[in-house]
Amino acid sequence: MAFSQRFIEVDGCRINLRRGGSGEPLLYLHGANGAPAVLPFMEKLAQRFDVLVPEHPGFGASDEPEWLENMHDLAYFYLDVLKSLELRGVHLVGSSLGGWLALEMAVRDASRLKSLVLVGPAGISVPGVSPGDVFLWSPDELARNLFFDPALAEKMIAQPMTPELLDVSLKNRHTVARLGWEPRMHDPFLRKWLHRVSVPVKIVWGEADKILPVAYAGEFKRLMPGAEIEIIPRCGHLPQTERPEEFCDIVTRFTGMG
Amino acid sequence: MPYADLDLKAGREHGTVWVNLPNSNFDPVKGHRLYNRYLDELEHGEELGFDAIAVNEHHQTAYGLMPSPIVTASALARRTSRAKIAILGSALPLREHPLMVAEEHAMIDVISGGRLISGFVRGIGAEYHTFGVNPTFSHDRFHEAHDLIVRAWTEPGPFAFQGRHYNVQYVNLWPRPYQKPHPPIWIPSQGSKETIDWAAHPDRRYTYLQTFSPASVVQRYLKMYRDTCEGFGYEAEDSQLGWAVPVYVAASDEAAQAEAKPHFEAFRNVFLKMPVEMLLPPGYTSRESLKNVMKAKAAIFGDITLEKSIELGLIICGSPATARQALASYWKDMRFGNLLVLCQFGTLPADLTHRNMELFAREVMPAVKQLTSKAVPA
């Protein structure tokens, strides 16, 4: 499935947008590592959806706007993106930091949304549970803590670091720190308003997640009793990468597109 | 002010003594002895004729036991009567409220009768991990906190301050500082163009103190400061430039090196060591600076021997004659108006520290004072 790539400008900020497939719109919100390429799970989803994969402001090839100071700014920006692209009935799929973003959008305005799929989402803190410290780990430690399958980590570590990749990785890291350094990867006020999420929610979690431990899923279930939870065994923080087939089946079944 | 009783093996095996070395490694009884020893040493600095006594701020680390330099400076304010007391510096962005810094510094200035030198720093990268303060707002917070403090010191209160990070309805400092218009401000730095541009600005002309760097790097940044002043249309006074460097003198070069070696290498290769992710969190420096550090990673993060450190000018070590000669030669290249000598470093014990201070004060300092206007122990 071919993806197009172009820049769109919203709120004076140019972002890089990849788009492919046809069907109901599905907006994928990436996590801390950005969305530098079209991955197999995106290709597969594009067989059933009109898949939109933007790089967030402050990530990849997108602008770094002065106004981007916190996750609320990013949520309002993407609500403006939905409006600007005249999207309705959107399935929001957010991973990690992108899952947090999806929730911040949905508590503000769910009128253009049809469903939420949250993949190991950040956004809340769980008493007594410590997330991994992504800012203190070396790149190799980070890779090894991302996946259940060590082969995937070694593949990531073996990837040669070009000057361009280094620039993007430092840029992404800067933006992740700006949005999630403190309070660490969550918004203490978000939990109060999760009842405002008025569309069906599916939460997918890798059982062996070392970034955000699977105990988070239970806390989300407590805060959003209507949400469906799916725990994937033998899987780390990125089920969409580690188990693309299974992940895409979950999304298509949940959205009724299966 | 290191925790000199650290189990060096534990520190080395942990990889760093910053942020997450378990504090079970700290023994409060040993700490009690160390604090009182260090305070005695700092007080002795005045008796030996040093112009100023300097303290600094570091958090949750065996590297330094002064999370609050205010506490040490306060003690010194009452136990000394002539020497300047230099806080180098307070880490502004780490503090919840800059007005507290303004108040505490003003108190020490008033208590000491105008002997305070105020230093402002951002805190090192590791301390952003420690406190959870967002490093991407570090520069913003520093500049805004500085503006609030200087205005609080100089403008008649009450007045309102509106900022992005700090908002105060009534800025009305009691006490106001003793010195007019305010205590001198020094900016200690490991070297950055942004800091130099800011400190050298004609509105500020703050003394720039290059800390613990190879002499060639010190020379480069001090020159950059002078050039920046020239770009602003004025000539920098030597008193606007400072160098902070460990110094160890003994009867002969051989004795000095043999005595300093284990303690300096512990300082350099255990107490200062940390991974790059800890040292430079995102936003603490520009991404260009970060890339330069990563390129020089081996040189910065590897171990260095005492001998190599002497060669690089990371330490002045030798007989008094050697130290005099080295400092005279460095002065020609740098023309630092202030020399801050670290007479204690790493695990250097009390007897050697004492002898080092005495010998430096007697046989090196007079020559340095002829070169420069000031000499300062820390």
Side-chain angles (χ1 to χ4, degrees), chain A residues 64 69 139 167 177-178 181-182, chain B residues 132-134 136 164 287 291:
Chain A
E64 291 182 273
E69 294 183 288
D167 281 337
R178 176 140 286 207
W181 184 277
E182 197 277 330
Chain B
V133 171
N134 192 324
T136 72
R164 160 68 182 80
R287 297 205 287 267
K291 280 197 282 187

Side-chain angles (χ1 to χ4, degrees), chain A residues 143-144 146-154 234-236 242:
Chain A
R144 292 192 177 108
L146 262 182
F147 302 103
F148 174 80
D149 179 1
L152 288 171
E154 295 314 314
R234 301 170 64 77
C235 180
E242 193 150 12

